[in-house]
Amino acid sequence: MGEASKISRYIYTVLILFIIWLFLTSSLDPQELTIGAIFSLMVGALTYEVFTERGLENLNPKRVLYFIAYIPYFLWAMIMANLDVAYRVLHPKRPINPGIVECRTVLTNNVGKLALANSITLTPGTITLDVKGDRYFIHWIDVKDKSVEGASENITKPFEKFLKVIFE
Amino acid sequence: MSVASIIGQALVLFGTFFYVLSSLGLIRMPDVYNRMQTATKSATLGSLGVIIGTGIWAIGEVGSYSWIPKTLIIAVFLLLTNPIAAHALIRAAYKSGVPLWEGSVVDKYKEANYSLEQVEEIGESLEEPSQEVETNE
């Protein structure tokens, strides 16, 4: 997977910056829009090299659709995680069984790995401790399976089916 | 009292409930790693609830829709940066030698680190054979 052309990376960066500007000002006044566009072009010229590797290819409709489908799935997992934490904190016996397990992932893209690590941190009972290559070291509050395969089955598999389409 | 303010107030209440749980978890959990678990998850969802709830509350109370986009983007930034902060803290805690709770079942990271260090030491000794002996215990 090579890098996209400079033009497409630049346009993508400016688009994202301009959308953030729109949200931050929350007004459609032409003066605001002009200043926002100028500043997006300037900041984009300075930062597009570190901001993205794939450019406009990120806006592939399939990726965008999967991303939109991922949002409710992720929010639901997060709410379940918090109910799980609530149960563990409020239960008088404090039913925890912690440990650090190792997982493997099939993702190769760096942004995809970051998204997977963030998703793991915010979902039931797991927090990412370190990532080395394709190995994730995860602190799991309730260890059900100590082996590498079993832990991957429980922790990373549910997200990978989405993240593989979005980022690969 | 419109529907929007009721939804907003309910969301803020929901968020504060998870804030309380988060601080309670800090007291009840036995070691750094488990405390990070409860603190990160509950504080993130609590903040999401409070922030977006404020935006929706403003529709009913002030009648202004311009709060919603701002609160949404703050929530997205928080959702992206909070887990990274937690990851940096927990990794730094491990690297500076904070022990796991005695009830912990398994520590794969220690085994992996041990093998990696051995590989690196062998590599170093192959590169510079006349290096002085390391003095750490």
Side-chain angles (χ1 to χ4, degrees):
Chain A
M1 191 184 63
E3 288 192 353
S5 71
K6 282 191 173 182
I7 304 284
S8 119
R9 281 157 69 196
Y10 178 60
I11 292 172
Y12 178 71
T13 312
V14 170
L15 262 179
I16 297 291
L17 289 172
F18 191 62
I19 290 171
I20 293 176
W21 172 270
L22 279 183
F23 270 91
L24 280 178
T25 56
S26 53
S27 101
L28 289 174
D29 188 18
Q31 287 182 342
E32 300 253 24
L33 293 188
T34 319
I35 287 294
I38 292 172
F39 276 118
S40 314
L41 289 169
M42 277 164 53
V43 176
L46 293 174
T47 59
Y48 76 96
E49 281 178 354
V50 289
F51 187 71
T52 173
E53 280 187 352
R54 265 194 328 228
L56 286 174
E57 212 188 312
N58 278 326
L59 296 178
N60 187 329
K62 197 178 168 200
R63 284 193 178 132
V64 176
L65 278 181
Y66 263 77
F67 182 68
I68 292 170
Y70 182 62
I71 293 171
Y73 181 80
F74 174 69
L75 284 180
W76 177 247
M78 226 175 115
I79 291 170
M80 292 320 283
N82 280 280
L83 294 180
D84 183 65
V85 165
Y87 167 71
R88 285 181 207 286
V89 169
L90 297 177
H91 196 281
K93 274 192 190 155
R94 214 172 50 184
I96 55 173
N97 179 28
I100 295 173
V101 294
E102 184 185 341
C103 285
R104 299 289 165 124
T105 177
V106 296
L107 298 174
T108 51
N109 184 307
N110 277 336
V111 187
K113 280 187 198 164
L114 172 68
L116 180 59
N118 272 1
S119 309
I120 288 171
T121 301
L122 289 175
T123 47
T126 48
I127 187 164
T128 314
L129 201 115
D130 203 352
V131 182
K132 286 197 168 89
D134 68 337
R135 303 160 80 189
Y136 278 70
F137 296 96
I138 291 165
H139 185 266
W140 198 357
I141 205 168
D142 177 24
V143 177
K144 294 187 194 102
D145 197 335
K146 291 181 193 175
S147 72
V148 175
E149 293 80 20
S152 308
E153 198 72 36
N154 271 306
I155 297 173
T156 60
K157 277 279 161 56
F159 298 109
E160 272 178 355
K161 65 186 175 201
F162 285 95
L163 294 176
K164 217 157 67 180
V165 183
I166 299 173
F167 291 105
E168 291 298 299
Chain B
M1 199 76 161
S2 61
V3 182
S5 12
I6 292 172
I7 295 175
Q9 284 168 7
L11 272 176
V12 171
L13 196 66
F14 172 81
T16 36
F17 171 67
F18 281 113
Y19 274 151
V20 172
L21 272 184
S22 163
S23 44
L24 195 64
L26 283 181
I27 300 168
R28 276 185 60 82
M29 286 295 157
D31 73 346
V32 174
Y33 306 97
N34 293 309
R35 278 181 203 143
M36 288 300 298
Q37 297 251 15
T38 58
T40 317
K41 288 183 233 305
S42 308
T44 311
L45 189 72
S47 310
L48 286 193
V50 169
I51 291 168
I52 294 175
T54 315
I56 297 175
W57 196 348
I59 293 176
E61 207 77 8
V62 193
S64 147
Y65 282 90
S66 65
W67 287 50
I68 279 281
K70 282 179 200 174
T71 51
L72 269 181
I73 202 130
I74 294 171
V76 169
F77 280 150
L78 203 74
L79 195 62
L80 287 178
T81 51
N82 224 349
I84 301 177
H87 160 70
L89 281 174
I90 198 172
R91 187 163 177 271
Y94 196 98
K95 296 275 178 192
S96 52
V98 179
L100 272 86
W101 185 46
E102 58 267 20
S104 302
V105 247
V106 59
D107 188 356
K108 289 265 168 126
Y109 193 50
K110 200 172 172 185
E111 298 159 23
N113 259 345
Y114 184 65
S115 58
L116 278 175
E117 268 169 20
Q118 271 191 331
V119 169
E120 276 168 15
E121 271 169 21
I122 292 167
E124 276 171 14
S125 64
L126 282 178
E127 278 169 15
E128 298 170 53
S130 63
Q131 208 177 21
E132 61 180 342
V133 182
E134 283 185 273
T135 50
N136 58 353
E137 62 272 64

